[in-house]
């Protein structure tokens, strides 16, 4: 028996709906993966900011310590 145009149309619509659902599922998956990457990037940015702040604080402490050592050295030299 040959199919009528209506049967062909219904089959094509059904296939297109299945393909559309597959695309929707893939989009949701990609969106989730993108959200994860974004969260990881934000976390990495926070870690980098923390590291930069810590290094800056350490550098400041070293500078203060060096200045103190220079003052102590000057006192020792003046007493000798």
């Amino acid at each position: 028996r040959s199919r009528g145009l209506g049967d062909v149309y219904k089959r094509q619509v059904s296939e297109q709906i299945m393909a559309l659902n597959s695309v929707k599922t893939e989009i949701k998956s990609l969106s989730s993966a993108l959200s994860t990457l974004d969260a990881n990037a934000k976390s990495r940015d926070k870690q980098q900011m923390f590291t930069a702040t810590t290094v800056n604080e350490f550098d400041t402490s070293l500078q203060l310590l060096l200045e103190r050592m220079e003052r102590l050295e000057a006192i020792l030299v003046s007493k000798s």
Side-chain angles (χ1 to χ4, degrees):
R1 148 184 167 219
S2 75
R3 291 185 173 201
L5 287 178
D7 290 337
V8 172
Y9 174 75
K10 287 178 189 176
R11 182 179 50 82
Q12 288 175 342
V13 169
S14 177
E15 289 173 357
Q16 289 174 348
I17 289 172
M18 288 182 352
L20 178 60
N21 286 334
S22 176
V23 168
K24 284 181 182 180
T25 300
E26 187 64 24
I27 287 173
K28 287 178 185 177
S29 175
L30 291 172
S31 178
S32 176
L34 182 59
S35 292
T36 300
L37 288 172
D38 186 47
N40 289 344
K42 287 178 181 176
S43 175
R44 205 167 32 254
D45 288 346
K46 286 180 184 177
Q47 289 172 348
Q48 288 174 341
M49 182 62 76
F50 174 77
T51 301
T53 301
T54 302
V55 167
N56 188 36
E57 289 172 355
F58 185 69
D59 184 55
T60 301
S61 295
L62 285 176
Q63 288 177 4
L64 292 172
L65 184 58
L66 181 61
E67 290 171 5
R68 187 172 177 195
M69 289 174 65
E70 288 172 348
R71 285 194 303 270
L72 288 172
E73 182 181 30
I75 292 171
L76 289 173
V77 167
S78 69
K79 290 187 176 185
S80 54

